[in-house]
Amino acid sequence: MAITGFLDHDGHDLVLTRSVLAPRSLIWDHLTRSDLLDTWFGTFTGDPTTGRVLVTMTAEPGEDSASEYTIHACEPAELLTVSTSPQAGGWRLSVELVDALGSETADAARVAGAVTANGSADAAGATHVAGAADAAGVADEPGPSDPSEPVTRVRLRHHDVPTEMIRHVGPGWEWYLDRLVGVVTGGEVPGMDVWDSRYMTLGDDYAALTDGAPHRLSPRPTEPPVD
């Protein structure tokens, strides 16, 4: 399995992408409805319109504890940006949803979903076509897709990821994104049983992304929450 993440042009943000055979609205619901978020990540309580919610991560083993997430951007079916509390690492995260381009993207997403579902992701190198396109700076703008079979580009951005943590957070986001894709497409939803064999082994490749990058211990200041 190869990594799908890359550092953006200034080396501050880690970006991972997936092309998913599902409409943006369905994926958005799995980001913003607590009952659906729980199928791959965790639950939240509170009123999102206040700009803050309490999130409890439930996918990983261990004691469940809630932490505050601040909502910076919430554009339905397009963009969600949040930051965790300092006690939870002070991470700033964005998920962007756009319509993927053309039938080739749909074909790649279909093959990727099939490969991931049988537990041999990357066997044909198809799983990460979308990520490679992003890394090359192409196919990055929204465009029309077949309305009978919508394909959504999911782009997760971990802002100002500390270089010393990338070997851990990169594989973690690969796991969570594969869980999201599996839930919305009816494919495999990887659990902790494949974490060591399929995801933890990606740590060295993620660490290699930071070769020559500046060492960053703390993120840039975050914006205030939405009203």
Side-chain angles (χ1 to χ4, degrees):
M1 180 173 178
I3 66 173
T4 70
F6 60 93
L7 292 175
D8 67 359
H9 65 280
D10 65 3
H12 282 86
D13 298 351
L14 178 65
V15 182
L16 299 90
T17 63
R18 295 290 188 276
S19 286
V20 188
L21 284 168
R24 286 187 293 160
S25 58
L26 178 61
I27 298 172
W28 182 257
D29 285 345
H30 281 78
L31 297 173
T32 59
R33 280 181 44 181
S34 183
D35 60 327
L36 296 180
L37 183 70
D38 189 36
T39 61
W40 66 279
F41 185 82
T43 62
F44 70 83
T45 59
D47 183 358
T49 64
T50 66
R52 290 181 174 84
V53 292
L54 291 176
V55 176
T56 301
M57 298 175 66
T58 58
E60 301 178 45
E63 183 179 356
D64 295 340
S65 59
S67 60
E68 186 175 78
Y69 278 45
T70 300
I71 302 169
H72 300 279
C74 185
E75 302 172 18
E78 293 184 0
L79 175 67
L80 179 66
T81 300
V82 302
S83 61
T84 66
S85 65
Q87 294 78 10
W91 291 357
R92 186 180 178 93
L93 310 166
S94 293
V95 179
E96 181 184 9
L97 307 179
V98 297
D99 293 331
L101 290 172
S103 59
E104 291 184 2
T105 304
D107 290 340
R110 185 181 301 104
V111 172
V115 173
T116 300
N118 68 24
S120 58
D122 289 310
T127 308
H128 308 312
V129 170
D134 266 333
V138 298
D140 205 37
E141 294 299 323
S145 58
D146 182 352
S148 67
E149 192 174 35
V151 181
T152 299
R153 174 74 55 79
V154 179
R155 184 179 297 109
L156 183 146
R157 180 179 296 269
H158 188 139
H159 300 263
D160 294 303
V161 60
T163 54
E164 69 275 12
M165 294 180 62
I166 194 170
R167 70 162 49 248
H168 305 294
V169 300
W173 289 130
E174 298 276 12
W175 186 70
Y176 274 113
L177 282 176
D178 284 350
R179 287 176 59 81
L180 172 61
V181 172
V183 165
V184 300
T185 62
E188 180 201 15
V189 182
M192 293 304 300
D193 57 318
V194 297
W195 169 254
D196 287 344
S197 61
R198 197 185 301 177
Y199 295 93
M200 194 171 71
T201 56
L202 304 177
D204 287 344
D205 288 338
Y206 267 103
L209 295 179
T210 65
D211 290 345
H215 188 72
R216 298 183 304 280
L217 293 177
S218 53
R220 291 175 286 193
T222 59
E223 299 174 3
V226 294
D227 294 331

